Amino acid sequence: MKRFILTGILTCSSFSENIQFINGVDISMLKQVEDNGGTFYENGIQIDPIQTFSENGINTARIKIWHTPTLIYNNLESVLEIAERASFASLDIFLDFHYSDTWADPSSQTKPSAWEGLNFETLCDSIEQYSSHVITKLKDQNTLPRYVQIGNETDCGLLWPDGYVCNESNNDYQWNKLRELFQHAINGINSVLDIQDTLRIISHVSSGGNWFFNNLLGHGFDIDVLSLSYYPMWHGGLSDLNQNIQVLVNNFQKPVLIAETSYPFTLQWNDNTNNILGSNTHLLDEYDASEEGQFLFLSDLMTVVKESNYGFGICYWAPDWISTNQFGSPWENQALFNFDGEL
């Protein structure tokens, strides 16, 4: 069954001829899936999904990096390996720094264990040196990212509590600290670049963003691209997203990227791992949980993004996170391959 549905959707021009529209997929889970027996097919023939993405209009591979994870995945060595494969397939690299040993999101921005207990000055130095080290390693193997994301879904900041800016910490003192952490990370990245290198810095929140970016930007601090996650079960319909994008465009006149999105092709399960999305209440009325519904959702999403004045592209999250006998997937019904790994 044909599961790769982005062909012909993610092929549109950007708001500027000088800026490539991101037609992206986040392949951070791929190595772990493959190491646990996951295989991918087209018409019954085994394929390399990265090469197949490239052949079907994808131009960018988003890859997350954790500082010192418990397992061997999403660490620097793993990122270097997957980046090399993506680059070989002619994909641009979009690096997603979580600045944590595990998932970073609006509810959790836990410091790497190696940075626990550091005073703020040393923490700033650590994020700068670490960022520089990672980018150096990628540049040395000729896989310098085209895009780098500073933190993941940083709605309330990163590296808590030092960079926490919500609730009682929503004050000038904490915002100054957060800007300083961002700036040190960017300084570390820029320290590696030669004059001919082109790299765009991205800031990412889960939704909204007006309050966060309004406080983050300014005071001599700036970034290149604003980005959002968009999952209908949490963030509403496409009209809500369109309104969100227009507010950001009107207020900041910066490129806006959908850094993460997905939609189910079924509500069925293939393993014993609870799927994150499994109820009709999680769906938009206009799109059912089917291959066609998934296709129409992505087509309409792309229209919303490309018709905004500063639409920069989308990245589909975990299109390859299928379940295997050894490795469950809570995302299997939102992948772009079916339960048998078939395209």
Side-chain angles (χ1 to χ4, degrees):
M1 179 176 63
K2 190 74 173 173
R3 287 289 330 131
F4 187 71
I5 61 174
L6 295 187
T7 305
I9 293 179
L10 297 182
T11 51
C12 52
S13 60
S14 70
F15 60 88
S16 167
E17 293 301 321
N18 297 321
I19 299 178
Q20 175 178 267
F21 199 91
I22 292 178
N23 305 325
V25 286
D26 189 311
I27 56 173
S28 302
M29 301 303 301
L30 179 58
K31 180 172 170 56
Q32 193 166 7
V33 170
E34 291 177 331
D35 284 355
N36 283 276
T39 49
F40 302 86
Y41 302 90
E42 183 174 14
N43 299 321
I45 300 172
Q46 189 168 344
I47 59 170
D48 177 353
I50 297 178
Q51 186 63 44
T52 300
F53 287 142
S54 178
E55 292 168 356
N56 285 273
I58 296 301
N59 59 27
T60 302
R62 184 173 184 251
I63 309 168
K64 72 176 180 288
I65 183 167
W66 293 341
H67 188 281
T68 311
T70 303
L71 301 178
I72 61 171
Y73 305 103
N74 307 302
N75 60 13
L76 178 55
E77 291 72 20
S78 174
V79 166
L80 289 170
E81 179 182 330
I82 205 76
E84 195 164 43
R85 287 177 59 186
S87 181
F88 183 78
S90 301
L91 301 181
D92 290 328
I93 307 304
F94 174 1
L95 185 67
D96 175 13
F97 276 111
H98 280 227
Y99 295 117
S100 181
D101 293 336
T102 187
W103 301 98
D105 56 40
S107 64
S108 178
Q109 297 282 336
T110 305
K111 290 178 188 176
S113 57
W115 297 356
E116 284 292 338
L118 299 181
N119 61 43
F120 186 67
E121 181 180 359
T122 307
L123 181 63
C124 287
D125 180 68
S126 296
I127 195 173
E128 181 169 337
Q129 296 303 318
Y130 169 68
S131 302
S132 175
H133 176 66
V134 170
I135 300 300
T136 296
K137 290 293 188 180
L138 285 162
K139 182 177 171 65
D140 285 348
Q141 72 167 19
N142 296 315
T143 57
L144 179 70
R146 184 163 183 167
Y147 315 99
V148 176
Q149 182 180 304
I150 308 298
N152 192 73
E153 294 188 331
T154 60
D155 300 44
C156 285
L158 49 75
L159 295 173
W160 294 349
D162 293 80
Y164 184 71
V165 291
C166 286
N167 302 317
E168 71 284 350
S169 294
N170 178 20
N171 55 58
D172 289 344
Y173 178 73
Q174 285 298 115
W175 279 106
N176 286 336
K177 290 179 72 175
L178 181 61
R179 278 191 291 269
E180 192 167 350
L181 288 168
F182 264 80
Q183 191 61 66
H184 277 276
I186 294 168
N187 290 347
I189 293 162
N190 287 340
S191 70
V192 181
L193 305 182
D194 297 318
I195 191 168
Q196 72 273 14
D197 293 329
T198 323
L199 186 152
R200 294 183 179 274
I201 299 294
I202 295 173
S203 181
H204 177 218
V205 295
S206 68
S207 63
N210 188 57
W211 169 79
F212 181 82
F213 295 129
N214 190 56
N215 281 283
L216 181 70
L217 303 179
H219 303 275
F221 176 80
D222 199 13
I223 49 95
D224 300 314
V225 179
L226 314 180
S227 72
L228 305 166
S229 298
Y230 175 58
Y231 299 108
M233 60 180 163
W234 294 314
H235 302 139
L238 288 172
S239 60
D240 299 304
L241 175 66
N242 183 56
Q243 182 178 5
N244 193 163
I245 291 174
Q246 294 310 315
V247 168
L248 296 179
V249 167
N250 292 338
N251 288 345
F252 302 104
Q253 293 81 54
K254 287 184 176 293
V256 177
L257 165 72
I258 305 304
E260 298 180 19
T261 194
S262 68
Y263 204 76
F265 65 88
T266 181
L267 295 180
Q268 299 301 308
W269 295 9
N270 190 47
D271 60 17
N272 294 323
T273 301
N274 288 334
N275 289 343
I276 289 174
L277 193 158
S279 167
N280 281 313
T281 61
H282 296 152
L283 303 177
L284 297 178
D285 291 340
E286 304 90 333
Y287 314 102
D288 61 5
S290 67
E291 184 175 348
E292 181 181 9
Q294 191 183 49
F295 176 89
L296 291 174
F297 166 77
L298 280 170
S299 179
D300 290 347
L301 171 60
M302 183 54 63
T303 298
V304 168
V305 175
K306 72 180 181 180
E307 289 185 354
S308 67
N309 291 336
Y310 284 75
F312 197 52
I314 76 169
C315 276
Y316 198 92
W317 198 80
D320 44 22
W321 195 358
I322 60 174
S323 58
T324 77
N325 290 334
Q326 296 82 36
F327 184 53
S329 171
W331 215 264
E332 59 185 358
N333 64 328
Q334 298 184 72
L336 296 181
F337 295 86
N338 70 10
F339 288 164
D340 297 319
E342 182 75 23
L343 193 62

